[in-house]
C-alpha cells in the first residue's frame, strides 16, 4: 500500500519480490502450506501473500470486498499475483517475534524499481491499537450495517466495565 501511494501503478509492475521471516513464509508465502499462487476462494486468498500484495497494488486497499468471489477470480489480480515471489530471509527471521519484518521490492516494466520495508503494523505489540483506531476500523468494516447500531455497539464497548452483560448482548 505504501508503494502504491508512493506512485507505483499496478499495470506497470513487472515483478514483486518479497522477503519475509520464515514463519510467515511457511503460512502465507508458499512454504509448508504449499503454493500460494493458485487462489480461487476466500480461504485461499486470505492466506496468500501474493494475492494480498496483488490486490493491494490494484485496489489500494484490502477490505472484505477484496475477498469476494468475483474479485478473487478477476484476471488482473490473478495475473499480478503470479508475478509475486516470496522468499524467507534468515536475517528477518532472526528478528521475529520482536518484529514482523518484511521487505517488498517492485520492479516496473521500464526496469526501474521501488522498495519499502516494514517491521510492524498498527495493532502489533510495538504499536498497540488505540480505541480510536479500533473505532475507525470497526466503522470501515461495518459499512453495510445500520450506523446507529454500530454507534450503540461502540458506546457499550467504550463503557464496558460499567455495563451489564445484557447491554452487550442486546
Amino acid at each position: 500500500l505504501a508503494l502504491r501511494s508512493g506512485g507505483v501503478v499496478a499495470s506497470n509492475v513487472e515483478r514483486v519480490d518479497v522477503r519475509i521471516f520464515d514463519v510467515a513464509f511457511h503460512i502465507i508465502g508458499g512454504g509448508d502450506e504449499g503454493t500460494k499462487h493458485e487462489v480461487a476462494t476466500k480461504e485461499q486468498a486470505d492466506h496468500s501473500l501474493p494475492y494480498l500484495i496483488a490486490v493491494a497494488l490494484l485496489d489500494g486497499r484490502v477490505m472484505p470486498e477484496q475477498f469476494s468471489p468475483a474479485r478473487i477470480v478477476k484476471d488482473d489480480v490473478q495475473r499480478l499475483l503470479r508475478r509475486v515471489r516470496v522468499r524467507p530471509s534468515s536475517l528477518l527471521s532472526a528478528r521475529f517475534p520482536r518484529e514482523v519484518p518484511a521487505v517488498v521490492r517492485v520492479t516496473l516494466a521500464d526496469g526501474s524499481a521501488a522498495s519499502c520495508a516494514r517491521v510492524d503494523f498498527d495493532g502489533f505489540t510495538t504499536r498497540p491499537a488505540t480505541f480510536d483506531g479500533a473505532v475507525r476500523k470497526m466503522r470501515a468494516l461495518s459499512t453495510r450495517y445500520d450506523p446507529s447500531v454500530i454507534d450503540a455497539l461502540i458506546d457499550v464497548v467504550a463503557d464496558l466495565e460499567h455495563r451489564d452483560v445484557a447491554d452487550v448482548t442486546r
Side-chain angles (χ1 to χ4, degrees):
L1 292 171
L3 290 168
R4 187 179 194 272
S5 67
V8 170
V9 177
S11 60
N12 295 333
V13 172
E14 181 72 27
R15 183 177 75 246
V16 180
D17 293 296
V18 182
R19 298 288 184 259
I20 57 175
F21 56 101
D22 58 359
V23 171
F25 172 72
H26 289 298
I27 297 170
I28 62 172
D32 292 343
E33 299 294 322
T35 183
K36 298 301 176 176
H37 290 97
E38 294 174 15
V39 178
T41 67
K42 180 204 174 295
E43 291 72 24
Q44 291 168 329
D46 67 18
H47 280 78
S48 167
L49 192 53
Y51 177 83
L52 297 169
I53 288 172
V55 80
L57 284 169
L58 288 161
D59 296 356
R61 55 191 276 140
V62 181
M63 297 295 282
E65 59 265 24
Q66 276 69 45
F67 297 100
S68 72
R71 181 65 186 117
I72 291 168
V73 299
K74 280 191 80 171
D75 285 343
D76 62 346
V77 73
Q78 288 291 320
R79 281 192 311 270
L80 185 53
L81 78 85
R82 285 175 174 72
R83 294 195 304 264
V84 177
R85 297 291 169 250
V86 182
R87 305 261 188 294
S89 162
S90 59
L91 294 175
L92 299 180
S93 297
R95 294 161 50 188
F96 177 79
R98 295 178 323 281
E99 298 176 354
V100 284
V103 179
V104 178
R105 177 182 167 87
V106 175
T107 303
L108 302 175
D110 67 4
S112 65
S115 64
C116 71
R118 294 290 185 266
V119 298
D120 64 5
F121 54 88
D122 286 332
F124 189 63
T125 58
T126 53
R127 284 195 285 156
T130 64
F131 187 77
D132 289 342
V135 167
R136 280 191 302 278
K137 185 172 184 176
M138 172 74 170
R139 290 192 191 288
L141 291 172
S142 59
T143 56
R144 67 181 183 203
Y145 299 103
D146 180 340
S148 66
V149 173
I150 300 306
D151 290 342
L153 177 59
I154 291 167
D155 289 344
V156 168
V157 172
D159 191 40
L160 195 58
E161 60 274 2
H162 300 109
R163 299 294 185 125
D164 294 329
V165 73
D167 290 335
V168 177
T169 59
R170 185 176 55 257

